[in-house]
Amino acid sequence: MEVRLDGNTDSWAVDSVMLIVALGLYGPEVTQNTDGSIDYQSKQPMLRQEAAILIAKALQL
């Protein structure tokens, strides 16, 4: 699945962020723009509750 990222994701993290977005492993803080691009807000620190949801989704709990 091809994902277009919007925002300022560091080059070393682009592949991982694209995978996370393609798998739908993100919460409501991630926004989709009208052009279909996704702003993952990868420069923002991840909160514990966001990390917990990410782990739960990855483990399909």
Side-chain angles (χ1 to χ4, degrees), residues 5-56:
L5 295 179
D6 185 28
N8 297 323
T9 301
D10 289 330
S11 59
W12 60 267
V14 168
D15 290 338
S16 297
V17 171
M18 288 177 68
L19 177 62
I20 293 290
V21 170
L23 294 174
L25 299 175
Y26 57 86
E29 72 281 355
V30 176
T31 57
Q32 184 170 9
N33 299 321
T34 56
D35 66 355
S37 63
I38 304 288
D39 186 1
Y40 188 73
Q41 302 177 14
S42 58
K43 295 285 187 171
Q44 300 294 327
M46 184 178 287
L47 303 174
R48 285 181 287 207
Q49 65 191 31
E50 293 168 342
I53 293 295
L54 179 65
I55 292 168

